[in-house]
Amino acid sequence: MREILDHLEKLGRADDTIVVILGDHGESFQAHGWLGHTIRVDQDMTHVPIMIRWPGHLAPAEIDGAVEIAQIGPTLLKLAGLPHEDFGLAKPLPLTQADSAQDASALTRTLRMGCYTGLLQGKWKYQLDHRTCGETLFDLSADPGETHDLAPREAQALAAMRSALRARFDAIGAAKVPHAMLPRQLIDETEAALRSIGYVQAATGLAGRDGNRLRSAAGPTKYKHDAFGDLQVFQPCARDGAERCLHQLP
C-alpha cells in the first residue's frame, strides 16, 4: 500500500485521488467454536477496518459509531460531487466525529453457510438465528468478545433491538431496493457477471476436515469433500427468514 501512495505522490496525483482501504469480512479461527467466514455475524467476522485517504480534503480523524461497507459507494460519489441517492438506505459515511450520528446502526447478514442477521447499535449487538428464531444480545462495551449472552436478563434492551431490526426491514421493504444498497439494474448486472464465472451458487464454504468436531452452521444436510479434504456444506438459506422470525417473535 505504501508503494501505491508513494507512486501517487510521484505522479502528482495524491491530492486528487481518493484511496479507500477496507476488509470485506473477518475470519474466525475457532472463536465461538467456528472456523472460516460467511458462517455467522460475530464481531470477529464482521468488524473490519475502513480507511479513507484524500490529502488536502479530509482531515485526519478516527470516527466512532456503527457503519456498513455498503456506505462506501455513496461516500465516494458524494466526495466526487456526484449524485448518491440511488443507494437506497445506504447513506454516506460520517467523515468527521461531529458528523457521526449517535443513533447510527449497522446491519449484517449471512445467507451462504449460515442463516443469521446481526444489528449493532450503540453498545448493543443483537443476533437473530433465522432457522430457530433464537436471539442473543451482547453488551460490546463490557464484553467485546461476545461471551455473555444477556438476552435472558435484559428484556427491555432485547425488545428495543428487536424493534430496531423490524424498523430496518420495514424501511428496506419500503425503499424497494434489494439489500437497500444498490440500484436494481446494477445488482442484476453484477449477479449475472458473477454467475457467468461460477461464483454465485448454493451456500458453500469451509466447515472443517474429516475427524474434527468443528460445527457447521448449515447443519446435517448435503455434504461434499473437495480435493483438499475440506468439508463443504450445501444448504440454501431462505432470504426472508429473518423477517418471518420477527413476525413470530413478541
Side-chain angles (χ1 to χ4, degrees):
M1 192 65 226
R2 183 72 261 172
E3 293 180 1
I4 294 175
L5 298 179
D6 288 344
H7 190 61
L8 288 173
E9 293 285 354
K10 291 177 181 179
L11 293 175
R13 304 305 303 267
D15 291 349
D16 60 4
T17 302
I18 304 170
V19 177
V20 179
I21 305 171
L22 74 149
D24 63 339
H25 58 73
E27 199 77 16
S28 180
F29 295 98
Q30 285 282 34
H32 303 99
W34 301 90
L35 176 66
H37 59 265
T38 72
I39 301 171
R40 290 171 55 91
V41 290
D42 302 321
Q43 287 296 93
D44 55 298
M45 299 185 197
T46 62
H47 189 196
V48 298
I50 299 177
M51 292 173 277
I52 303 178
R53 180 182 186 270
W54 194 13
H57 299 270
L58 294 177
E62 183 174 337
I63 312 301
D64 295 326
V67 298
E68 301 172 3
I69 290 177
Q71 295 177 256
I72 291 176
T75 300
L76 292 176
L77 291 174
K78 181 180 179 180
L79 290 174
L82 298 172
H84 57 272
E85 292 76 17
D86 283 342
F87 276 73
L89 301 184
K91 305 303 180 185
L93 293 165
L95 298 177
T96 68
Q97 191 63 51
D99 293 337
S100 182
Q102 296 301 312
D103 60 348
S105 63
L107 179 70
T108 182
R109 309 180 74 185
T110 178
L111 300 173
R112 290 177 61 193
M113 286 186 64
C115 292
Y116 295 90
T117 291
L119 183 67
L120 179 62
Q121 187 166 280
K123 69 177 184 177
W124 295 111
K125 172 73 172 291
Y126 171 84
Q127 295 183 140
L128 177 64
D129 183 332
H130 304 181
R131 293 195 173 101
T132 66
C133 296
E135 301 171 291
T136 54
L137 182 71
F138 301 98
D139 178 353
L140 295 183
S141 64
D143 179 27
E146 299 167 291
T147 58
H148 303 292
D149 178 16
L150 300 179
R153 61 176 186 269
E154 290 284 354
Q156 185 174 354
L158 181 68
M161 292 298 290
R162 186 191 303 133
S163 178
L165 183 58
R166 282 197 185 104
R168 285 294 296 269
F169 279 119
D170 288 344
I172 291 172
K176 301 187 184 301
V177 179
H179 312 308
M181 64 179 68
L182 293 174
R184 174 76 260 179
Q185 180 181 353
L186 184 56
I187 288 178
D188 290 342
E189 291 174 355
T190 302
E191 185 171 310
L194 291 172
R195 286 188 184 281
S196 71
I197 59 175
Y199 195 84
V200 177
Q201 54 185 320
T204 64
L206 175 65
R209 292 181 179 274
D210 287 331
N212 68 24
R213 295 187 178 279
L214 294 179
R215 292 176 290 172
S216 163
T221 54
K222 297 171 63 177
Y223 298 93
K224 173 185 176 182
H225 291 273
D226 63 21
F228 299 97
D230 291 328
L231 179 64
Q232 293 183 317
V233 184
F234 297 76
Q235 182 173 341
C237 180
R239 189 164 292 277
D240 65 344
E243 293 92 323
R244 286 190 286 105
C245 282
L246 290 172
H247 179 73
Q248 298 173 19
L249 290 167

